[in-house]
Amino acid sequence: MPADTNPAGDIFGGWLMAQMDLAAGNVAARRARGRCATVAVDAVTFVSPVQVGDEVSLYAELVHTGRSSMKIRVEAWRRPRHSEENQKVTEAIFTFVALGEDGKSRPLPEPAG
């Protein structure tokens, strides 16, 4: 939306990072079967701007688990409103930690399966 843009009319990188964090958080919460917190984001490089009206698609996948932590790779892609061509905008690795009722880290449960 226009309120999410910079003076050049591109979407703020912070808005896109927030959407990526939400996508990664969904993967983390499902794997942890509960509350999680973002603790780090590795190297975000924006390779293409997102314009108002573009469709933004996010793809997140779990790439590593530790005792209580998870690394989730997220890619963001854009499709201009009147085009079928998709362009990669950015990617990053988000690190999440599973949290217990006390707000402290807790071990991840065994994978479902």
Side-chain angles (χ1 to χ4, degrees), residues 31 64-71 108:
R31 173 59 185 87
H64 179 76
T65 58
R67 185 187 76 79
S68 63
S69 65
M70 298 156 280
K71 290 191 179 284
L108 290 170

Side-chain angles (χ1 to χ4, degrees), residues 17-103:
M17 284 187 64
Q19 303 309 303
M20 293 171 73
D21 189 49
L22 289 168
N26 284 335
V27 172
R30 286 173 53 197
R31 173 59 185 87
R33 291 187 224 127
R35 185 175 170 207
C36 299
T38 309
V39 295
V41 180
D42 294 343
V44 178
T45 302
F46 296 96
V47 295
S48 175
V50 177
Q51 303 286 316
V52 171
D54 285 355
E55 175 184 281
V56 176
S57 298
L58 302 166
Y59 302 94
E61 68 174 328
L62 183 66
V63 293
H64 179 76
T65 58
R67 185 187 76 79
S68 63
S69 65
M70 298 156 280
K71 290 191 179 284
I72 298 155
R73 185 170 72 82
V74 181
E75 289 185 358
W77 291 72
R78 69 180 278 264
R79 184 187 60 79
R81 173 174 253 164
H82 303 292
S83 172
E84 294 301 317
E85 180 183 336
N86 292 307
Q87 293 178 303
K88 188 173 182 179
V89 176
T90 189
E91 70 176 85
I93 302 288
F94 286 74
T95 303
F96 279 76
V97 170
L99 300 176
E101 298 273 329
D102 59 359

Side-chain angles (χ1 to χ4, degrees), residues 1-16 46 48-53 89:
M1 298 301 293
D4 298 315
T5 63
N6 62 28
D10 300 328
I11 299 298
F12 282 123
W15 178 87
L16 186 57
F46 296 96
S48 175
V50 177
Q51 303 286 316
V52 171
V89 176

